[in-house]
Amino acid sequence: MGEANATGGAPPAAAPAVRVLSVSRVAPADRAAAADGDDPAMVVKLSFFDTPWVVLPPIQRVFLYSLPGGGDDADGHEFTDAVATLKTSLAATLAVYLPLAGKLAYDAGTGDVVVDCAAADDLGVAFVEAEADADDETTFDVRHLADDEAHDIPAFLALVPDLPTKVLPAPVMSVQATRLLRRGGGGLALGLSVHHAVADGQAVWRFMAAWVSAAREGSPVTKSLPAPHFGREVIHVPNGDESARHMLKMIAPNLPVASTMADYDFSQRFRLARRTFYLAGDDIRALKRRIAAAEEDDDGSNNNSRNKKPVSTFVALAAVGWTSFVRSKGLVAGDDTYLVFLADLRARLDPPVGDGYLGNCIKGVLATADAGDLLVDGGARGLLAASRAIQAAVAEMEAAPLAGTERWLEKMMGLPFTRLCNVAASPRFRVYEASDFGFGRPERVELVSMNHDGEMVLVGGRRDGEVQMSVSLDPARMDEFKAHVFASSASAPPPEDEVEGK
């Protein structure tokens, strides 16, 4: 699952028009700057944690900016200047994040998939410069695209670059900068596609912070942002190489054709609705208090003593999303339901892996519950049941971080997707602070590669203490989902007769 639920498939015939102005290649500025002793002319063999993602399309995000001057001056200088900044700083950042400039390739001699960074004349990232249809001002207005209530999925897809991944060798990353025009002002959309087999969410956001640092401070490496390390030898997993090759044979038996997902109907994303919620710090605290109060009531009524570990922000919001999903899908008592999310293992391995590791170091975590337990009373007791199930799954993972990892993919593929909710990313990802290149924070940051009915993405919001929750769902279920989210937190609008002036 993770942040890269697949996004293949052709766009609809009526997809919004974006005109490509140019495609160039941004190469690393100085290969000698490769970090932390890593050989700049090297081949990086994927680890056991990387291989499951070889068959999936990339992580795709869009960052929407309102440029200070509107972006549509007669000569387009503001957009041009922004693109020049992005390119120059990207080149400097790729010098220390070299695997992102390489190619994912298959080594037939060893049976491994590797990141090939050895070909000096082929290193780099495709950078697309584009312009939205000037006659389609409503579709590509930044304010329209950043609307909370409904996402324009075809427009979002037009603003992220293609990254062909089905056949190896395949590029690891591509970038697209699109000029957005409208009367009275405009903006810029920055689209990013990254192959999940090379980097997880933590790694991608560290890269974004370094790219921003290069744009604003002149260097991707600072005292607070050290250079990354990407040698896979830091991942100590028993029989890791053998397990990785076994997994590759299972999920991608026809290498160098990497994708075995060609027959999956990725076009369902056009049939799903998306909405973004912002939960303020007060909302989240109120939600945690509701869960804590339900815990106290439950302990009192059952006269037992529990180890009451306070719920984290992630657990509380995942519980809201899971219970909202169960309610909106019409599940009933007796229906098993599932929540899956990814845990960062960097600090949990022995020896631990540093925060700056550029690769995948994540494990799938699965929480299970009876739908009836999540629906009880329609409120706090259901949230408590969901929170307990999530906490139990986290505790099991923490007790044995590597247990079951080699069978995780098989287990996931055997679950009923109609009763599966998955949560991607983390409220710890301060995505708005991490993406200000000097022309202001984005109006919206969204994961475009959402495809599953019941997928949620949690990231830090635009304000202090706020969390942004985006959801992809069957359109017929969205109103019920939204009502339960609002009812579960203090973000619910007041009744009409309590509104001032009524």
Side-chain angles (χ1 to χ4, degrees):
M1 293 298 165
E3 292 191 86
N5 280 36
T7 60
V18 167
R19 181 169 63 95
V20 174
L21 303 175
S22 67
V23 181
S24 57
R25 185 172 66 91
V26 176
D30 179 9
R31 296 184 67 206
D36 221 22
D38 289 305
D39 181 359
M42 71 338 188
V43 172
V44 179
K45 182 170 61 176
L46 296 191
S47 81
F48 170 74
F49 291 120
D50 297 318
T51 49
W53 307 103
V54 168
V55 298
L56 290 178
I59 304 168
Q60 292 184 303
R61 288 191 184 84
V62 66
F63 304 79
L64 302 171
Y65 299 88
S66 290
L67 294 178
D72 59 351
D73 51 297
D75 297 322
H77 288 311
E78 190 174 30
F79 174 77
T80 302
D81 291 346
V83 168
T85 296
L86 290 170
K87 283 186 170 184
T88 302
S89 53
L90 176 59
T93 309
L94 290 175
V96 291
Y97 284 79
L98 203 61
L100 297 180
K103 295 283 183 67
L104 204 65
Y106 176 59
D107 185 335
T110 63
D112 296 319
V113 173
V114 302
V115 186
D116 187 357
C117 302
D121 58 350
D122 201 29
L123 280 175
V125 168
F127 195 107
V128 179
E129 295 174 53
E131 184 175 84
D133 186 349
D135 294 328
D136 194 356
E137 294 185 355
T138 302
T139 297
F140 290 108
D141 179 85
V142 173
R143 293 171 297 184
H144 165 74
L145 290 169
D147 183 65
D148 296 349
E149 187 64 33
H151 297 188
D152 191 332
I153 299 171
F156 275 6
L157 287 163
L159 298 174
V160 292
D162 183 40
L163 189 73
T165 60
K166 290 185 177 181
V167 179
L168 304 182
V172 172
M173 188 172 79
S174 58
V175 177
Q176 178 175 324
T178 305
R179 187 183 181 196
L180 307 177
L181 300 174
R182 67 176 176 84
R183 293 186 181 89
L188 179 151
L190 177 65
L192 187 69
S193 296
V194 180
H195 204 307
H196 208 323
V198 179
D200 60 16
Q202 164 85 348
V204 171
W205 286 114
R206 291 279 295 215
F207 161 75
M208 283 297 302
W211 188 5
V212 164
S213 175
R216 296 176 64 93
E217 301 180 41
S219 173
V221 177
T222 65
K223 183 178 295 186
S224 61
L225 191 67
H229 56 102
F230 38 80
R232 266 48 177 181
E233 66 276 0
V234 299
I235 300 291
H236 294 276
V237 178
N239 301 315
D241 287 350
E242 181 180 338
S243 297
R245 292 178 188 129
H246 172 74
M247 186 175 295
L248 278 172
K249 289 178 181 178
M250 180 180 68
I251 65 175
N254 300 317
L255 287 169
V257 178
S259 177
T260 60
M261 310 291 284
D263 295 330
Y264 188 84
D265 182 15
F266 293 135
S267 65
Q268 68 169 302
R269 68 181 182 270
F270 297 113
R271 300 193 294 271
L272 297 175
R274 294 191 197 172
R275 193 195 191 283
T276 292
F277 301 85
Y278 288 97
L279 292 104
D282 288 344
D283 300 332
I284 296 168
R285 285 186 286 273
L287 172 62
K288 291 179 179 180
R289 285 195 297 269
R290 289 192 68 196
I291 296 172
E295 179 87 58
E296 291 179 5
D297 290 345
D298 187 68
D299 286 352
S301 63
N302 289 303
N303 194 30
N304 61 22
S305 176
R306 296 182 184 273
N307 180 17
K308 301 176 188 175
K309 181 180 180 180
V311 297
S312 65
T313 296
F314 175 86
V315 169
L317 294 182
V320 168
W322 192 9
T323 54
S324 299
F325 171 77
V326 168
R327 182 169 300 277
S328 70
K329 296 288 281 187
L331 301 182
V332 297
D335 290 336
D336 290 334
T337 181
Y338 308 88
L339 177 81
V340 65
F341 53 96
L342 294 170
D344 188 348
L345 299 185
R346 285 170 172 78
R348 296 182 169 108
L349 295 182
D350 184 18
V353 176
D355 287 344
Y357 175 65
L358 177 60
N360 287 280
C361 195
I362 47 179
K363 175 187 178 179
V365 181
L366 182 67
T368 63
D370 186 291
D373 293 335
L374 305 190
L375 295 170
V376 63
D377 290 347
R381 289 178 62 195
L383 291 170
L384 174 60
S387 298
R388 284 175 172 171
I390 297 167
Q391 287 179 316
V394 171
E396 182 180 0
M397 177 274 299
E398 289 178 334
L402 293 176
T405 48
E406 69 280 0
R407 298 184 302 276
W408 174 70
L409 192 61
E410 294 175 80
K411 186 175 183 178
M412 285 299 305
M413 296 308 293
L415 295 176
F417 273 40
T418 56
R419 288 180 273 136
L420 173 69
C421 179
N422 77 288
V423 182
S426 167
R428 294 183 296 104
F429 295 162
R430 308 304 302 174
V431 302
Y432 289 86
E433 292 92 327
S435 48
D436 182 353
F437 289 89
F439 37 82
R441 289 186 181 184
E443 300 289 332
R444 171 64 60 81
V445 179
E446 286 290 354
L447 181 69
V448 176
S449 47
M450 294 176 68
N451 200 61
H452 174 56
D453 181 10
E455 180 173 6
M456 292 178 293
V457 179
L458 298 176
V459 293
R462 295 174 291 195
R463 299 172 181 85
D464 287 344
E466 184 180 68
V467 175
Q468 174 180 309
M469 179 171 75
S470 299
V471 61
S472 177
L473 200 66
D474 179 344
R477 311 289 185 178
M478 185 60 81
D479 286 345
E480 180 73 18
F481 184 97
K482 180 172 68 172
H484 189 62
V485 170
F486 283 146
S488 298
S489 72
S491 60
E496 187 173 350
D497 60 359
E498 294 182 13
V499 177
E500 185 177 355
K502 291 289 186 181

